[in-house]
Amino acid sequence: MKKYSRTLLFVLACSATMHAQKAKKTNIKPRNEFIPELMAKMTVDEKIAQLVQFTADGTVTGPKSGNNFIDEIKKGNVGSILNATGVKYTGELQKLNMDNSRLKIPLLFGYDVIHGYRTIFPITLGETASWDLAAVELGAKVAADESAASGIHWTFAPMVDISRDPRWGRVSEGAGEDTFLGSKMAFARVKGFQGNDLMSLNSILACTKHFAAYGAAEAGRDYNTVDMSERVLREVYLPPFKATVDAGVATFMTSFNEIAGVPSTGSKFLVNGILKKEWGFNGFVVTDYTGINEMVPHGYAKDEAHAGELALTAGVDMDMVGGVFLKHLKLSLAEGKVTMAQIDDACRRVLEAKYDLGLFHDPYRYNDAKREKATITKKEYLDAALNVANKSFVLLKNSNNVLPLKKEQKVAFVGPLVSDEFNIIGSWAATGDRNGFAVSIQEGVNKLVADKSKVSFERGVEILKDDRSMIQKAIASAKNADVIVAVMGEFENMTGEAASRTNIDLPGIQKEFLAELKKLNKPVVLVLLNGRPLTLTWENENMDAILEAWYPGTMGGDAIAQTLYGMNNPGGKLPMTFPRNVGQVPIYYNHKNTGRPYLGAKDPEQKYKSRYTDSDNSPLYPFGYGLSYTTFEYSNLKLSSSALNANGKLKVTVDVANTGNYDGEEVVQLYVKDVVGSVTRPVRELKGFKKLLIKKGAKQTVEFELSPDDLRFYNIDMKFVAEPGDFEVFVGGNSDAALNSKFVLVI
Ligand code: BGC
């Protein structure tokens, strides 16, 4: 993969440079002269227009504003359009705009390019399960190139919301529960989308969303209230956002939720305070879809005009779809409720982004039909999607090495998703084709297994319908087989936005069907296509193997077939804890200890401990967990010293041996526990990971480095410091890693 992706990155970089050089040839003043000169000519209306975004007629994720975007473009009232795609259509809209724009200010086209544009990669949660930063960056790079080739300038990604609640449907769009992993992923995604030079035609603006703490919605219900201490906000939820600022992200999006009584879109504390002042963010901030208008039902603004004033004053620069800035901002200015300086600042930020993309050099530079045709779903990109899908799978169980399958075995593939080409690309799959272009599992298997008498495919049941009419036929095929592979999961739209669930079991009668299959006394492998942690307690007890395949994207069927038949050894690790039952939620590995920690069945005190009376505390599968067709053994954990000084570094080394029969990739994880703090610290926290390919029979020494900076947290005085004292270190293949050592931080 590394070799492959480097070649691909090189190709992308070369063509990027060529395009950038082309753009630089056009005669235009530098940004710090061009933008002020332009703004000096702009009227208040023209400035406000830059802060207005309307949706074209594509996907809409909220109420339509009622504004006719075509008329508004003609009137010169629009700075940006979302949901228009394709060189032809965006080109037509751009022309309409340029023909009507007095000062020839181009439109900015935004779109939700989340995990691919047409070549669809695994959903973000699945891609994160690869723990492979190069793969993740490559996924974003391919998405950027395809969408840029199709007239898009700006994606609303990465979504970096930490979430500890699998009921929340949007966990599928994010990097899971952990701040450290999430921050690394967020950084890699921005680099992938934006590259090193926004002027390059392969780059698009990234947009970090949803600022902030949207993933902590109460009860996992989308758009719901959030309340938390500033310490938790800063320590757990904000670092991935900050990581994207460090990566140079061009734009931010506010979130729908309130935090501690203030909707994010009206939060001075968050937007002007933390993002723009504290972090020095110089790009622009867009609201989420009608986020300004929603401050009225939130009970924070008395009407839309008031909401607009609150948003601009908080530091919001662009109004997504709500039409509030367009309708009210001029009057608010006249009434002294907002200032010209605020409007100027917002306008400057938007214009600078357009400048950085080269749109003032040439508003049609993303509108090259030949390039569009040559770029979309080109072979290298499909190969890259296959490669990344193969890295995203997590093997949850594999009793008696039932996997990998052998081509001589008779295998009955059953289940509602076995021949699916629609759901397999997951939710929010941009312009991904759901009508036959994606590779189904049936297709993937048929490509690999030449002897068709060895495989059969039956649906058996539907995902949600209570229809038992197909079960007998599927059971009959299974009776004939040596191994049964059941492909089940959720509909793609059961995850993503507005898709929260209170029950996260395998939906419908799928489990009932599995129970029927189990009665046949043959090995049953469960392959899951889904977008969140599910409660799989029964499945874990009753199935022989379980492969979590998420929604693997366009090439998903090939990747799953290759994995089932052992051409790919799964090496993914869970980016979110899988609970035993939904009553344990929120459940996450880096929790605090309580004053009455429960020590499990051996605890001499069973009653007055922090525990459930009807369930274990522990999850079904911990964060970081994932098996392989081979086995890894950890030994020889060593620290370079038993003490770490203020300016020192501590080396942590461990030997990892591949003790099984296959070459395999392992994600070696380093966790740290700060034993005593001026505020309590989590039981352990991820502080490093390395993904390695280890050949069978081989052993590698893995080295991590820790410095006092890695041990910082918000202390009792809200200072971000490391406190002296005892630390424990754990290294292993998941967050339950047992191998441990200790050191003292001396400051
Ligand atoms: C979502 C955003 C998305 C926007 C534009 C909203 O409903 O929350 O994540 O970027 O729509 O489609």
Side-chain angles (χ1 to χ4, degrees):
M1 167 69 198
K2 274 214 172 107
K3 193 165 162 236
Y4 173 79
S5 61
R6 246 187 261 135
T7 322
L8 185 53
L9 292 176
F10 178 71
V11 173
L12 284 166
C14 291
S15 67
T17 319
M18 257 164 51
H19 289 302
Q21 279 163 357
K22 206 167 132 201
K24 276 175 197 152
K25 278 191 194 144
T26 25
N27 189 19
I28 187 165
K29 287 191 176 171
R31 193 178 85 172
N32 60 353
E33 292 174 37
F34 181 88
I35 301 292
E37 284 176 19
L38 174 64
M39 284 184 64
K41 292 181 226 149
M42 290 170 79
T43 63
V44 174
D45 288 316
E46 283 166 341
K47 287 177 180 171
I48 291 174
Q50 290 308 306
L51 319 186
V52 175
Q53 183 184 55
F54 282 126
T55 178
D57 25 25
T59 333
V60 290
T61 52
K64 286 216 182 185
S65 61
N67 290 68
N68 179 334
F69 70 98
I70 297 278
D71 286 349
E72 299 299 350
I73 293 175
K74 282 191 198 152
K75 286 190 247 162
N77 279 341
V78 186
S80 172
I81 287 288
L82 78 155
N83 294 327
T85 61
V87 156
K88 186 164 177 293
Y89 187 37
T90 56
E92 284 163 9
L93 293 179
Q94 188 68 287
K95 175 149 191 331
L96 187 70
N97 169 71
M98 295 309 283
D99 289 349
N100 288 283
S101 167
R102 184 178 72 94
L103 294 167
K104 303 287 169 228
I105 303 177
L107 282 174
L108 184 68
F109 289 99
Y111 193 51
D112 288 282
V113 183
I114 310 295
H115 53 108
Y117 176 73
R118 185 71 59 81
T119 301
I120 304 300
F121 283 68
I123 55 165
T124 310
L125 191 65
E127 220 181 42
T128 304
S130 71
W131 293 56
D132 188 323
L133 297 171
V136 163
E137 184 173 335
L138 176 64
K141 232 175 177 46
V142 171
D145 193 34
E146 281 196 345
S147 48
S150 203
I152 305 298
H153 308 139
W154 177 26
T155 177
F156 306 119
M159 187 277 219
V160 305
D161 297 308
I162 296 297
S163 183
R164 297 162 160 183
D165 196 330
R167 293 172 298 183
W168 191 52
R170 303 201 77 168
V171 297
S172 60
E173 293 171 57
E177 76 185 42
D178 184 58
T179 306
F180 182 88
L181 179 63
S183 300
K184 299 277 179 210
M185 291 289 160
F187 189 96
R189 291 196 164 102
V190 170
K191 286 289 177 202
F193 287 128
Q194 295 195 168
N196 296 325
D197 179 7
L198 283 175
M199 198 62 92
S200 131
L201 278 181
N202 307 106
S203 302
I204 54 177
L205 306 176
C207 179
T208 307
K209 70 188 190 188
H210 306 83
F211 195 57
Y214 182 34
E218 278 178 6
R221 177 155 55 80
D222 209 1
Y223 317 125
N224 206 5
T225 308
V226 172
D227 202 351
M228 63 176 60
S229 68
E230 188 179 337
R231 177 172 290 107
V232 171
L233 177 70
R234 285 183 179 273
E235 227 165 84
V236 178
Y237 290 86
L238 293 189
F241 290 94
K242 173 64 166 52
T244 66
V245 174
D246 296 342
V249 74
T251 75
F252 254 63
M253 185 187 293
T254 58
S255 57
F256 285 126
N257 56 286
E258 66 161 72
I259 307 182
V262 181
S264 303
T265 302
S267 175
K268 281 191 215 168
F269 165 71
L270 279 178
V271 185
N272 264 336
I274 294 182
L275 178 61
K276 289 186 173 173
K277 293 217 178 76
E278 202 177 308
W279 295 348
F281 173 68
N282 244 326
F284 77 85
V285 178
V286 65
T287 68
D288 204 345
Y289 200 104
T290 59
I292 298 181
N293 320 53
E294 291 174 25
M295 287 200 277
V296 177
H298 265 297
Y300 191 66
K302 64 178 191 301
D303 54 27
E304 287 187 351
H306 184 208
E309 291 150 14
L310 290 167
L312 191 76
T313 305
V316 160
D317 303 303
M318 186 182 279
D319 171 1
M320 182 186 278
V321 186
V324 174
F325 281 177
L326 179 61
K327 227 189 279 118
H328 303 286
L329 214 49
K330 199 171 174 193
L331 188 59
S332 298
L333 177 69
E335 289 173 348
K337 307 260 178 58
V338 297
T339 64
M340 199 59 228
Q342 287 172 329
I343 295 176
D344 276 343
D345 184 59
C347 177
R348 172 187 60 80
R349 288 169 181 264
V350 174
L351 293 175
E352 284 180 354
K354 292 182 177 182
Y355 183 99
D356 291 347
L357 285 170
L359 295 179
F360 286 106
H361 301 71
D362 174 6
Y364 303 103
R365 60 197 299 266
Y366 285 69
N367 296 82
D368 174 348
K370 263 200 216 140
R371 178 180 169 221
E372 182 177 45
K373 196 155 178 270
T375 307
I376 304 276
T377 63
K378 67 176 164 190
K379 177 148 187 333
E380 297 104 285
Y381 289 177
L382 293 172
D383 289 349
L386 173 65
N387 217 328
V388 177
N390 265 325
K391 286 173 175 286
S392 71
F393 302 143
V394 185
L395 185 63
L396 297 175
K397 182 176 180 188
N398 194 19
S399 295
N400 305 317
N401 295 326
V402 53
L403 288 177
L405 304 171
K406 292 170 201 68
K407 289 189 187 154
E408 311 78 72
Q409 286 172 315
K410 261 192 134 173
V411 186
F413 289 86
V414 297
L417 290 166
V418 81
S419 55
D420 171 273
E421 288 159 353
F422 184 97
N423 295 283
I424 198 161
I425 63 172
S427 69
W428 229 315
T431 61
D433 184 309
R434 295 192 189 273
N435 298 311
F437 183 66
V439 183
S440 71
I441 295 175
Q442 178 167 354
E443 274 177 74
V445 169
N446 274 329
K447 278 188 217 166
L448 287 190
V449 183
D451 181 352
K452 301 297 176 245
S453 71
K454 298 288 187 202
V455 289
S456 63
F457 304 90
E458 288 293 339
R459 227 176 149 74
V461 292
E462 300 291 352
I463 291 176
L464 278 174
K465 268 195 241 152
D466 235 4
D467 176 1
R468 291 173 177 76
S469 63
M470 297 174 296
I471 293 187
Q472 276 326 310
K473 206 166 160 223
I475 295 282
S477 75
K479 274 188 183 155
N480 249 324
D482 304 315
V483 185
I484 303 164
V485 175
V487 186
M488 299 190 170
E490 300 174 290
F491 279 121
E492 54 84 29
N493 65 4
M494 294 176 79
T495 58
E497 186 173 354
S500 296
R501 295 176 62 197
T502 59
N503 174 345
I504 52 172
D505 283 350
L506 210 45
I509 57 170
Q510 297 182 94
K511 208 192 286 187
E512 179 187 315
F513 179 42
L514 286 179
E516 290 298 312
L517 295 168
K518 159 103 179 145
K519 285 187 199 151
L520 303 178
N521 282 323
K522 310 204 172 201
V524 188
V525 176
L526 174 62
V527 175
L528 289 166
L529 299 191
N530 59 296
R532 55 152 64 78
L534 296 171
T535 39
L536 300 170
T537 302
W538 182 90
E539 291 80 351
N540 184 56
E541 273 161 25
N542 291 285
M543 298 292 101
D544 297 275
I546 306 179
L547 182 72
E548 176 55 80
W550 317 105
Y551 297 109
T554 303
M555 304 303 285
D558 279 336
I560 290 173
Q562 291 177 4
T563 305
L564 292 175
Y565 282 95
M567 292 162 61
N568 171 55
N569 185 356
K573 300 276 186 173
L574 294 179
M576 268 188 97
T577 303
F578 275 44
R580 293 175 189 276
N581 55 66
V582 78
Q584 292 181 309
V585 170
I587 181 167
Y588 47 96
Y589 82 95
N590 52 351
H591 59 85
K592 301 289 187 73
N593 210 18
T594 85
R596 294 186 176 193
Y598 178 53
L599 307 177
K602 289 195 198 117
D603 197 326
E605 172 60 66
Q606 287 287 316
K607 173 78 180 154
Y608 295 104
K609 287 296 182 91
S610 180
R611 59 171 296 220
Y612 299 104
T613 55
D614 60 353
S615 168
D616 274 359
N617 285 0
S618 65
L620 183 63
Y621 307 120
F623 171 82
Y625 170 84
L627 305 172
S628 164
Y629 293 156
T630 191
T631 44
F632 297 103
E633 266 176 38
Y634 286 73
S635 63
N636 209 13
L637 174 62
K638 280 193 205 139
L639 306 191
S640 54
S641 163
S642 57
L644 173 62
N645 302 320
N647 300 314
K649 302 251 186 247
L650 192 72
K651 278 200 176 120
V652 180
T653 51
V654 68
D655 292 343
V656 187
N658 181 339
T659 49
N661 294 321
Y662 298 83
D663 298 346
E665 287 188 314
E666 171 69 336
V667 181
V668 182
Q669 301 160 45
L670 168 78
Y671 295 87
V672 168
K673 175 178 182 179
D674 185 344
V675 180
V676 177
S678 61
V679 293
T680 60
R681 306 297 304 136
V683 290
R684 55 179 68 182
E685 291 175 282
L686 184 69
K687 292 292 177 187
F689 62 88
K690 292 216 165 128
K691 184 161 188 172
L692 321 161
L693 172 69
I694 309 180
K695 299 262 178 209
K696 69 175 169 187
K699 179 153 86 177
Q700 286 189 33
T701 301
V702 182
E703 184 177 302
F704 295 97
E705 198 173 71
L706 281 173
S707 78
D709 277 358
D710 301 315
L711 308 174
R712 289 188 292 173
F713 64 98
Y714 287 91
N715 73 1
I716 190 69
D717 303 316
M718 284 303 283
K719 298 233 160 66
F720 193 54
V721 293
E723 291 182 344
D726 292 336
F727 286 79
E728 290 171 23
V729 174
F730 306 85
V731 179
N734 66 60
S735 58
D736 272 349
L739 206 56
N740 65 87
S741 187
K742 290 179 190 181
F743 68 92
V744 183
L745 177 65
V746 185
I747 294 189

